[in-house]
Amino acid sequence: MIAPMPSALILLAATLYGMSPILAKIAYSHGVTPLTLLALRATMGTLFVWIGLAATRRLALPPRPFLTPLVVLGLTVVPIQVGSYFYALTVLPASSASVIANTSPVHVAWMGWLVLGETLTPADLAILVGIVGGAALVAGQTPLAGHIVGLVALIAATLGAAFYLVAQRRLVRDVAPLTVLAVVLPSSAAVYWSAGLVTRSIHLAMPLPAILAVAAATVAGALASFVLLVALQVTPATRASMLGMLEPVVAVVLSVLLLGDTMTWLRAAGIAIVLSGITLLQLRRAG
């Protein structure tokens, strides 16, 4: 059974992550580019983490066997996952992007079956098919502008999220959460800044609403990452995924209320199918 505190932390992280696409959409509406947002978000997050480590007198590199994997994650999986997701937000509604991206437990399930030999029952397979069908329904009801490119980016983000969740669960057994972020965040920041400078898509001059949106996204992202890593120290990844389904719910509600996102009956049905299917799948796997 999950202890109340880790559960509360995961729900807090899910809420903060659910706010991120909304804040990104607000920033984009004021001319902020995805790479500008990601570079500033990762850089400020790094500063917050290092200040926290310095304040607790734990400012030190992780043990050598873990340093290289953390740097590799920060240079590859994290930028691919986060960058693909935030690019998709430029062409897709926040609600659709969040729901489809959060089908990552489906990939955790088949990865476990393919790589680790974990058993998938016929009931599990039926649920997985239902989740994919619900996601397809959401995608089919999404506006066509940038639809295909956005969906391809979401597939990359979803696969990266599944792998990163499993990797996080393994790493935080031996490395403190703040130390994990102290390596992963600056590594990914270096990728964002490099890509932005090469493509000349880093633009730091922005109006006040954009500055506030970027600042809020930075705080939300850093805090969400930290509390999730703390919770993963004692919470299995599958259960964390189940509780994390609050994230798309928050994103959908805020997208409709704040961004004027249109919600058709078919799209709402697809969202409900995805959320119900993933919840049921995780309940079965955690039982």
Side-chain angles (χ1 to χ4, degrees):
M1 187 173 181
I2 307 174
M5 183 56 71
S7 298
L9 291 176
I10 293 172
L11 292 174
L12 173 60
T15 300
L16 293 170
Y17 279 134
M19 294 169 57
S20 293
I22 310 304
L23 294 168
K25 282 285 194 180
I26 294 173
Y28 294 163
S29 69
H30 291 281
V32 177
T33 65
L35 282 174
T36 300
L37 173 61
L38 292 176
L40 291 174
R41 186 171 175 262
T43 301
M44 296 305 296
T46 298
L47 292 177
F48 292 153
V49 169
W50 285 355
I51 290 171
L53 286 172
T56 56
R57 299 182 180 180
R58 296 179 180 176
L59 192 57
L61 292 175
R64 185 170 298 178
F66 301 102
L67 179 58
T68 299
L70 286 171
V71 171
V72 171
L73 279 175
L75 292 175
T76 57
V77 176
V78 173
I80 291 172
Q81 176 215 340
V82 179
S84 298
Y85 179 61
F86 277 83
Y87 168 76
L89 286 172
T90 65
V91 293
L92 297 176
S95 56
S96 293
S98 181
V99 169
I100 295 172
N102 276 277
T103 57
S104 56
V106 173
H107 300 294
V108 173
W110 71 256
M111 285 178 185
W113 169 73
L114 185 65
V115 178
L116 303 177
E118 296 179 350
T119 302
L120 281 177
T121 67
D124 290 332
L125 290 173
I127 294 171
L128 294 178
V129 170
I131 293 171
V132 172
L137 191 57
V138 173
Q141 290 294 303
T142 298
L144 292 178
H147 189 172
I148 301 301
V149 176
L151 290 177
V152 170
L154 278 180
I155 291 172
T158 306
L159 290 170
F163 180 82
Y164 187 50
L165 182 63
V166 175
Q168 280 182 317
R169 173 61 180 158
R170 174 63 187 88
L171 288 168
V172 296
R173 293 177 185 173
D174 303 290
V175 184
L178 276 178
T179 305
V180 171
L181 292 178
V183 177
V184 170
L185 281 175
S187 299
S188 58
V191 175
Y192 302 139
W193 281 109
S194 298
L197 292 174
V198 168
T199 59
R200 297 182 180 180
S201 57
I202 297 287
H203 307 296
L204 299 180
M206 59 186 76
L208 180 59
I211 293 174
L212 294 176
V214 171
T218 297
V219 173
L223 183 57
S225 297
F226 173 66
V227 297
L228 179 60
L229 284 170
V230 171
L232 283 173
Q233 289 181 305
V234 293
T235 307
T238 52
R239 296 186 178 185
S241 295
M242 182 178 66
L243 291 171
M245 289 314 298
L246 177 63
E247 176 187 338
V249 174
V250 171
V252 168
V253 171
L254 291 180
S255 182
V256 172
L257 293 179
L258 300 180
L259 302 180
D261 195 357
T262 303
M263 188 58 62
T264 66
W265 283 107
L266 284 176
R267 194 151 159 251
I271 290 171
I273 291 170
V274 170
L275 299 182
S276 300
I278 292 177
T279 300
L280 183 58
L281 175 66
Q282 299 306 332
L283 283 172
R284 287 177 54 81
R285 292 171 66 85

